[in-house]
Amino acid sequence: MRRLWVVSYDVADDGRRQRVATWLLGWGDRVLESVFECVWRADQLEKVVGDLSGLIDPAQDRVWLVPICRRCLWAAKVNGLGRRVGPCAHHVV
């Protein structure tokens, strides 16, 4: 079963930030400067967390991974520029 995750990060170093963004671009869609929507299967989550942990400095950076259920997805609102929040149609490995 696949689930939508919203990934947000605050990375202090430009190089690490770029590596995190590049890695996430391989998995999902960028919806804000430091926010991505990704769809992962439950068995992929351990790899995702491990890979992201290896890209950041845990003493200076943080990455939040928030699962979004179908009910929350359809209740989400977007103000201003941007597209409606929704499940990605790709990036499942």
Side-chain angles (χ1 to χ4, degrees):
M1 178 176 167
R2 300 181 325 157
R3 172 172 262 184
L4 176 68
W5 290 78
V6 172
V7 182
S8 174
Y9 57 86
D10 184 9
V11 176
D13 177 77
D14 291 344
R16 289 195 309 271
R17 186 179 323 108
Q18 184 59 47
R19 285 189 289 277
V20 168
T22 299
W23 190 91
L24 286 168
L25 283 170
W27 287 92
D29 295 325
R30 179 180 248 157
V31 292
L32 295 173
E33 189 62 32
S34 299
V35 179
F36 285 73
E37 293 176 352
C38 301
V39 176
W40 294 310
R41 296 185 316 262
D43 65 324
Q44 293 174 306
L45 194 56
E46 187 174 334
K47 174 182 176 25
V48 166
V49 171
D51 286 358
L52 286 170
S53 294
L55 296 173
I56 66 168
D57 176 348
Q60 297 184 22
D61 309 326
R62 66 181 144 193
V63 178
W64 284 27
L65 297 97
V66 180
I68 304 295
C69 70
R70 185 177 306 267
R71 185 176 184 180
C72 294
L73 175 65
W74 295 116
K77 306 293 182 208
V78 175
N79 288 326
L81 297 175
R83 63 179 175 75
R84 171 106 170 86
V85 177
C88 306
H90 59 285
H91 304 297
V92 176
V93 176

